[in-house]
Amino acid sequence: MLAVWSSLGENEQACRSRKGAGWSLGLVWDWAMLHPLNLYPKMNTANSVYNNPDDQVARSISEAAPRHYILKIMSFSFLAKTGIEKYESGEFDAGGYKWKLVLFPQGNKSRNVKEHLSLYLVFADVASLIRLDSEIHAVFRFFLLDQTKDNYLIVHDATGKDRRFHGSKHLWGFDQLIPIRTFNDVGNGYLLDDSCVFGAEVFVTKEMSSGKGECLSMIKDAISSKHVWKIENFSNLDSEYQESQQFSAANHKCKILTWVALRRHPEDKPVLFSGIPCLSSLKRTVGVLKVDDSSLTIQLFPKGRRHGSGTHISIYLALVDSDTLQDGSKILAEFTLRMKDQQQSRHIAGKVSHWFSESSKESGWENFVSLAYFYHTSSGCLVNDTCTVEAEVTVHAIANTL
């Protein structure tokens, strides 16, 4: 049978001083005088349970009961007999937040703890930490009742260091709270009639929200995808730019959209209207590469663009539907674009890596190939009024905002 009693309140107080008890009040100089834990008993310290040689765990004695939570366990031995490796308490309030205790009566085996009880403090509402991108700093101490002497063994961090509770780390405590042998010894008073009492006090020292951040996900064993785009009746193209047919990469599914460029936009951008493939109306099939819910496509300007206008063919890899990207997100793609020599395989190629984002939607070359060379019969670029463009794309990374 397990029984849990909540605390008596949250009014913090300093540890009591006892003459002749072998310890006296000491000041933790790292905190302000009004800090709820600025008075601690001086004591001998032992190595910390955190696998960090700089940390220390301290133990002291107090007659004051824990203020925030009490956990009383009846028939303690039955936890082990019934195979219960850990017990998670109900929620309790401290410092304006909800917390829980997690007890491992035979030690936390996932951390290779042996012959010790393990006890941890858990921030109960982890979802709020993640949603608000915040963190809570707190100091805490655990209590274990000596039922014979009617006082408490207190276990806490000897340095008084506060702990950061956030979305990725919401549990702190002691792997080796007390040796099981010491705990079971009736002479110590911790376990009497197979019953024991634990407790906790938690003091929030700081609340803060994180600034902006991002998560960079590198793609292991990135796969290159190749697409060949054949453009027929090239000399009859009247629109200022064309977009490629469908292709895919990085195992992302693609969808087919159809567009036609009809006129110039006042801001020097082509205006697109949906349609169906029909050469006579100059409507073209647009294929998009789906990457992290965004799309990439090849854009070709038959008569050039910007500095290449009238003298060169311009070609780009462009991000489509960039509004599907999260604010600040970006995609790193390494790509090669080739104008195929259909006669002697002397292809014209450009290779570059680019971070595609809402503010940088395209990358390519204004002067990819001169019109004079492109139309020359010996170049092999235009054969039977057909040219072939090849794209090879490898997505190496995706960065999203936190």
Side-chain angles (χ1 to χ4, degrees):
M1 175 183 178
L2 299 177
V4 178
W5 284 265
S6 61
S7 67
L8 300 177
E10 291 193 39
N11 296 324
E12 296 94 354
Q13 70 175 11
C15 298
R16 298 181 181 179
S17 176
R18 297 170 57 191
K19 294 183 179 179
W23 54 274
S24 60
L25 291 176
L27 181 63
V28 180
W29 295 104
D30 290 340
W31 300 331
M33 290 294 293
L34 295 179
H35 190 283
L37 292 184
N38 65 353
L39 292 176
Y40 266 143
K42 291 181 178 179
M43 61 204 77
N44 294 327
T45 58
N47 290 333
S48 169
V49 296
Y50 288 102
N51 300 322
N52 185 338
D54 295 329
D55 287 340
Q56 291 181 315
V57 56
R59 294 175 175 84
S60 61
I61 304 298
S62 174
E63 293 180 349
R67 302 190 170 279
H68 297 143
Y69 203 63
I70 291 176
L71 170 64
K72 183 174 182 179
I73 303 177
M74 314 289 289
S75 301
F76 182 86
S77 62
F78 280 84
L79 288 173
K81 292 178 180 179
T82 55
I84 298 177
E85 293 187 0
K86 71 175 181 179
Y87 176 73
E88 187 173 296
S89 78
E91 296 180 357
F92 63 94
D93 294 318
Y97 298 94
K98 294 186 179 298
W99 311 83
K100 293 188 292 186
L101 297 180
V102 177
L103 172 68
F104 290 80
Q106 297 298 315
N108 189 349
K109 293 182 173 56
S110 66
R111 295 177 62 87
N112 297 319
V113 179
K114 298 179 181 179
E115 301 177 353
H116 284 77
L117 276 74
S118 303
L119 184 61
Y120 304 95
L121 177 70
V122 179
F123 191 91
D125 189 8
V126 180
S128 67
L129 292 178
I130 298 175
R131 183 178 65 256
L132 300 175
D133 193 21
S134 60
E135 60 183 48
I136 306 301
H137 292 231
V139 290
F140 59 90
R141 50 185 181 175
F142 295 141
F143 290 66
L144 179 57
L145 176 63
D146 180 341
Q147 301 174 64
T148 302
K149 299 178 181 178
D150 193 27
N151 58 24
Y152 289 89
L153 170 70
I154 301 178
V155 182
H156 60 87
D157 189 326
T159 66
K161 180 179 181 181
D162 57 359
R163 297 297 179 183
R164 294 172 54 240
F165 293 83
H166 50 89
S168 300
K169 178 67 175 178
H170 53 275
L171 178 150
W172 287 99
F174 301 97
D175 293 335
Q176 299 179 0
L177 181 77
I178 187 173
I180 293 177
R181 187 173 180 177
T182 302
F183 176 77
N184 290 337
D185 189 339
V186 177
N188 292 321
Y190 302 129
L191 186 64
L192 291 183
D193 298 326
D194 207 20
S195 299
C196 57
V197 178
F198 296 90
E201 290 184 345
V202 184
F203 303 96
V204 174
T205 61
K206 187 188 304 182
E207 307 165 74
M208 58 188 299
S209 296
S210 301
K212 290 184 177 180
E214 68 178 52
C215 177
L216 173 63
S217 300
M218 301 301 297
I219 299 176
K220 184 180 180 180
D221 300 325
I223 301 174
S224 297
S225 297
K226 186 179 295 186
H227 174 70
V228 178
W229 178 26
K230 182 178 288 187
I231 306 174
E232 299 177 342
N233 299 308
F234 190 89
S235 60
N236 292 326
L237 299 179
D238 290 337
S239 58
E240 65 173 327
Y241 93 114
Q242 305 294 309
E243 290 188 336
S244 70
Q245 296 180 345
Q246 172 181 333
F247 65 98
S248 61
N251 294 323
H252 291 272
K253 294 182 179 179
C254 299
K255 59 182 179 179
I256 299 178
L257 304 175
T258 55
W259 309 93
V260 57
L262 297 180
R263 60 184 176 84
R264 289 290 292 256
H265 188 276
E267 296 181 359
D268 196 31
K269 296 181 179 178
V271 176
L272 302 178
F273 300 87
S274 63
I276 58 175
C278 177
L279 184 60
S280 60
S281 63
L282 297 178
K283 294 175 182 177
R284 309 295 295 178
T285 300
V286 178
V288 294
L289 163 63
K290 294 292 292 181
V291 180
D292 192 35
D293 294 328
S294 298
S295 309
L296 297 173
T297 186
I298 304 172
Q299 293 182 342
L300 184 144
F301 291 73
K303 298 180 181 179
R305 183 190 188 196
R306 296 173 182 162
H307 289 34
S309 180
T311 60
H312 289 75
I313 288 178
S314 304
I315 190 168
Y316 304 87
L317 189 68
L319 185 66
V320 180
D321 298 331
S322 59
D323 55 344
T324 61
L325 280 178
Q326 300 178 14
D327 290 342
S329 298
K330 50 191 178 181
I331 300 167
L332 175 62
E334 178 185 47
F335 65 92
T336 301
L337 298 179
R338 299 183 183 90
M339 180 71 70
K340 302 296 288 288
D341 178 349
Q342 303 173 65
Q343 296 174 336
Q344 303 181 52
S345 298
R346 299 172 302 179
H347 311 312
I348 301 171
K351 182 177 182 180
V352 71
S353 293
H354 183 74
W355 282 100
F356 291 91
S357 64
E358 173 64 29
S359 60
S360 184
K361 302 178 182 179
E362 62 184 29
S363 178
W365 297 268
E366 298 175 356
N367 302 317
F368 188 76
V369 58
S370 69
L371 293 174
Y373 183 82
F374 176 81
Y375 282 106
H376 199 284
T377 55
S378 64
S379 70
C381 295
L382 188 64
V383 177
N384 297 326
D385 207 20
T386 298
C387 71
T388 302
V389 177
E390 182 180 81
E392 188 172 353
V393 182
T394 304
V395 177
H396 287 292
I398 299 172
N400 292 314
T401 54
L402 294 175

